[in-house]
Structures are given as C-alpha cells and as structure tokens.
Amino acid sequence: MTVILVRHGRSTANTSGVLAGRSPGVSLDDKGRDQAAQLVDRLGGCLEEISVVARSPLDRCAETVAPLLRALRADREVDELVVDDLAEVDYGTWTNRAIRDLLSEPLWKTVQQHPSAAVFPEGEGLAAVQARAVAAIRRLDRIHGGEDGSGVWVACSHGDVIKAVLADAMGTHLDQFQRIVVEPASISIIRYGSTRPYVHTVNNTAVLSVPLPPRDKATSETETSETEQSAGDDAVVGGATGVDGHDRGVRAAAAPLARG
C-alpha cells in the first residue's frame, strides 16, 4: 500500500511572507499552477496505478490536484476525497501574521526546538496535527491500498502536515521533524507494509535541491530578504516557501522520480 504525498504548489501566501494557515482564498501563483500541470508528467509512470486522490479542503490543494484528476479521469473514474484531517495547521492567532513579526514570539523557539510541546494560541498543537494526519493517512491507506496491498494513491496536503506524517513513518520523534524539508509541489512516497512503513522518497521536486552555504554578512545584508536575515537557520513555519529553493537557493540537476 503506497501513498504519494504531494505538497500543494507554490501559493500567493508562500511569497508574501505571511503565515496564511487556513485563511480562505489562498490560491496558487503562476509558478504554482505550472507545478500543478507538471505533476501529471512527473507521475506519468504510475498514473494507471493511482486509485484515488485525497486532499486537504483548502483551495491551493484543490488547484494542485486538478490537472492530475483530469488526466486520471480521461479513461476511468477516479474519486477525489476531501479530507478535513489533511488540512493545514490551525495557527490560531498567528494566522495572517508576518513571519518576521513571529520571530520574536517566545513560542517560536518552542516550534523550532521542541515542536511536540508547541500549541498555537487559540489554534492547534503540532502533536495534535501529527496525530490526526497520521491517523487519516493510515486509515485511507487501509481502505484504498487494494485487496492485495499493492494499491497506489495520492494525498495532497501542506508542508508541516506532510513533515509530521514523514516523521512518523521514519520512526522519528516529532521534535526532530524540523529536520525534514518538504517544498511546494514536492513528492514524498511511503509504502505501509504489514510490519512497518518504508519511506521511499522525500521532497522530490524533479530537480535536486541543494541548499547553498550562507553568504557573507555584507552580501546577505544587501541581497537576503528581511525574513531570511532574522530567521537565520530556523525552519520555516508552514514549510519551505518555494522562493529560490529552500531558504538560500538551489543548484539544480536532473533527478528522476524515485519509485520503490
């Protein structure tokens, strides 16, 4: 039973420096729409095997899977499941606040260093997010994995949600999940075996994303965004933004989709 975890394509919120969370009306930007269209080719080798597409109820996930569903439905019926438990983190009163303003909040350090204890004011705790997302993925996998357990299905969700699911599959404590990078439009693959999960692919973007080393102070002050200067080496709350790769840029090289 194999689930292909897809993070939604780059959205207007990813480039705004604001933590959009569950705010309505957040759509893909031009690059995100291109990424959604490219998803069909990236999954071309297994399109015939995909039995169902599950997604978060938010618009940016619906827009990401729309081209894929059109391709899948060209010659057969494929269900689209809207799953509340795959929704973005409820960031509570942090929602729609600028990231640069959140850096000074005491909770920011907890999110970075001890996320299992982080509970967003008037929102969710990250431990609760992991519990509901992992339960949903495992439940859907049991249902849609096929009678012989060879089924393949897609789940489209959000950065921190997918990171939490991957941490569980890796047997890694949630306090380590900030070490996992899940970029917009990335593909991660988990096969749930009878005794344990097997993680086949993490953060595949069809090109190899290699973080560049930090630039010197003089360069960073003139070329690095205010958010990057303030956040330093912190993980991005909500997941990588898709702007210039992961935090400081990427070197691109061909990397085919890994399948296991």
Side-chain angles (χ1 to χ4, degrees):
M1 297 169 277
T2 300
V3 57
I4 301 171
L5 298 168
V6 177
R7 185 181 171 192
H8 63 79
R10 198 176 78 175
S11 71
T12 53
N14 291 145
T15 56
S16 69
V18 171
L19 188 62
R22 296 183 176 182
S23 298
V26 178
S27 299
L28 301 182
D29 64 9
D30 289 342
K31 181 174 181 177
R33 285 188 286 273
D34 287 342
Q35 291 170 330
Q38 292 164 8
L39 184 62
V40 177
D41 289 335
R42 292 170 61 202
L43 294 177
C46 63
L47 288 183
E48 294 182 359
E49 302 171 38
I50 295 173
S51 60
V52 69
V53 176
R55 65 167 176 86
S56 155
L58 296 181
D59 290 348
R60 50 195 183 271
C61 289
E63 294 171 3
T64 297
V65 300
L68 176 62
L69 282 165
R70 284 195 295 271
L72 293 172
R73 290 169 171 170
D75 56 7
R76 60 192 171 100
E77 290 295 323
V78 175
D79 288 338
E80 177 183 18
L81 307 179
V82 179
V83 182
D84 289 342
D85 284 338
L86 297 181
E88 176 63 289
V89 179
D90 181 354
Y91 293 111
T93 59
W94 277 29
T95 302
N96 284 329
R97 290 186 60 187
I99 297 292
R100 64 176 179 271
D101 294 337
L102 296 173
L103 301 176
S104 59
E105 294 281 354
L107 180 61
W108 182 272
K109 290 185 178 180
T110 305
V111 172
Q112 297 299 320
Q113 300 170 12
H114 191 23
S116 64
V119 179
F120 296 98
E122 299 181 28
E124 280 187 296
L126 286 173
V129 172
Q130 183 180 50
R132 51 106 162 156
V134 168
I137 291 292
R138 289 177 178 261
R139 173 177 56 82
L140 290 167
D141 193 72
R142 289 192 297 271
I143 295 170
H144 300 289
E147 292 183 3
D148 61 354
S150 63
V152 177
W153 61 287
V154 170
C156 182
S157 189
H158 306 267
D160 281 348
V161 179
I162 294 174
K163 286 164 60 175
V165 172
L166 286 168
D168 170 76
M170 292 174 177
T172 298
H173 196 280
L174 184 62
D175 284 345
Q176 307 302 321
F177 99 134
Q178 298 292 24
R179 301 183 181 202
I180 303 170
V181 175
V182 173
E183 298 177 70
S186 65
I187 292 168
S188 301
I189 299 174
I190 303 171
R191 178 171 64 86
Y192 287 97
S194 59
T195 57
R196 66 181 66 85
Y198 297 86
V199 179
H200 288 258
T201 302
V202 175
N203 194 44
N204 184 289
T205 58
V207 295
L208 183 62
S209 297
V210 181
L212 297 177
R215 289 171 282 194
D216 60 53
K217 183 177 180 182
T219 301
S220 65
E221 287 180 347
T222 58
E223 296 183 10
T224 305
S225 71
E226 181 179 354
T227 298
E228 288 177 330
Q229 290 178 44
S230 301
D233 197 38
D234 285 351
V236 181
V237 176
T241 64
V243 180
D244 195 24
H246 177 57
D247 294 339
R248 297 188 179 88
V250 299
R251 298 187 182 98
L257 172 65
R259 296 183 61 208

